[in-house]
Amino acid sequence: MKRILLLLGLFLTLTTSIYAQRKSDLIAEVATLKMKMDSLNTEVTDARKKERVAQTESESFKSQVTELQDANATLLKSLTSFTEVSSKNSSNFNKAMEQLNEKERQLKAINDALAGNDSTALLVLTNAKQTLGENAKIGVSNGMVIISSDLSTLFESDTKATLKTEAEPWIQKIGQLLAAHPSMAVTIEGLSMTGDLDLPAQQASSVRNALQKLEIAPDRITALGKDGNLKEGVLIKIHPKFDAFYQMVKAHMKN
């Protein structure tokens, strides 16, 4: 009986010891699991914090992207407007340059015509001196070659309008000069010092009629009486055809 009790006590002691050991192990294991859980909770908390930070940063990036897109759209719109304005300005500049070039061409044509007239006037002057002689009264004014003669050389008296025979050589030389320069016109001015222009006009007409008989075209000749401002006589003004020159200038200015 004692032996049985002893065995039973030993069994209970052993069982109690094993239970106590298992309980200790379980407590230690629970503590370990709790530590791991706390660590996991900390990691989860940190992860959530990072997620919130990432979400905040994502929202900020989205806002920045939106702002950049708006800024880009504004820049594109400004660039389009600038391109349109630049294109318009370029077109206006090209038109202004075309107009300027056209004006330069017009002025060049006019200047060339004036230079041509001046050259012709110089040639007429040279020919006039050769034809009429160095003693002839010849001058140049405003691009015109002016040949003057007193009334006594051409008419019987100051009050007559009929050319005398002695005037024919002089008239023929004027005709030769005009025939040599068919592009030039001639204005014949009878000068009066009394204010009466009828007689000077008749005297100028007599010279005109004599030139027409020398086959100088009537449309090249103009005859008129003019106040000579205390001078009398006849002026032969050889000049470019002003009507033709005016029409040329007018035609160029229209283009």
Side-chain angles (χ1 to χ4, degrees):
M1 185 70 178
K2 289 182 179 178
R3 187 178 179 179
I4 294 171
L5 290 173
L6 182 60
L7 291 171
L8 182 60
L10 181 62
F11 176 75
L12 289 173
T13 300
L14 182 61
T15 302
T16 301
S17 177
I18 293 171
Y19 176 77
Q21 185 178 1
R22 290 188 62 188
K23 183 177 180 182
S24 177
D25 292 340
L26 288 173
I27 291 172
E29 187 175 353
V30 167
T32 300
L33 290 174
K34 185 177 180 182
M35 289 177 61
K36 290 181 178 180
M37 182 176 293
D38 290 341
S39 177
L40 289 173
N41 286 335
T42 300
E43 291 179 0
V44 169
T45 300
D46 291 341
R48 287 177 177 175
K49 289 181 180 179
K50 291 180 180 178
E51 180 183 7
R52 287 194 293 271
V53 171
Q55 186 174 3
T56 301
E57 291 179 347
S58 175
E59 293 296 331
S60 176
F61 289 151
K62 288 181 180 178
S63 177
Q64 293 179 19
V65 168
T66 301
E67 291 177 357
L68 288 173
Q69 288 176 339
D70 292 341
N72 186 52
T74 301
L75 287 174
L76 288 175
K77 185 176 180 180
S78 299
L79 181 60
T80 301
S81 299
F82 174 78
T83 302
E84 292 176 352
V85 172
S86 178
S87 177
K88 185 176 181 180
N89 289 338
S90 177
S91 177
N92 291 337
F93 175 77
N94 291 334
K95 289 181 180 178
M97 288 301 298
E98 289 176 0
Q99 292 175 353
L100 180 60
N101 291 334
E102 180 60 28
K103 293 299 181 184
E104 288 181 351
R105 286 192 291 269
Q106 293 172 353
L107 290 175
K108 184 178 184 302
I110 294 172
N111 287 332
D112 289 346
L114 289 173
N117 290 337
D118 290 341
S119 298
T120 303
L122 181 59
L123 181 59
V124 171
L125 176 62
T126 302
N127 291 347
K129 289 180 177 180
Q130 293 173 348
T131 303
L132 298 174
E134 293 295 332
N135 294 326
K137 298 177 182 179
I138 304 172
V140 177
S141 177
N142 297 325
M144 297 184 293
V145 176
I146 303 175
I147 304 169
S148 60
S149 175
D150 55 56
L151 297 178
S152 61
T153 301
L154 301 177
F155 307 99
E156 294 294 342
S157 70
D158 296 349
T159 59
K160 300 293 183 179
T162 303
L163 290 170
K164 62 183 181 179
T165 304
E166 292 80 1
E168 292 181 1
W170 188 84
I171 296 295
Q172 289 177 353
K173 290 179 180 180
I174 298 296
Q176 292 173 7
L177 186 62
L178 293 174
H181 299 281
S183 64
M184 304 294 277
V186 58
T187 298
I188 305 169
E189 295 180 354
L191 303 182
S192 171
M193 58 185 300
T194 64
D196 179 14
L197 301 184
D198 290 337
L199 178 60
Q202 293 175 14
Q203 292 169 339
S205 296
S206 295
V207 176
R208 177 193 61 196
N209 294 336
L211 290 175
Q212 289 180 2
K213 291 179 181 179
L214 297 175
E215 299 184 352
I216 304 301
D219 60 355
R220 294 178 59 190
I221 308 173
T222 301
L224 54 88
K226 187 175 180 179
D227 185 356
N229 190 21
L230 301 180
K231 293 181 181 180
E232 61 182 7
V234 173
L235 297 183
I236 306 293
K237 295 183 176 181
I238 302 175
H239 54 78
K241 295 180 179 178
F242 295 127
D243 289 344
F245 181 77
Y246 170 76
Q247 292 300 327
M248 182 277 292
V249 172
K250 185 178 180 181
H252 278 287
M253 296 305 293
K254 282 183 178 180
N255 297 330

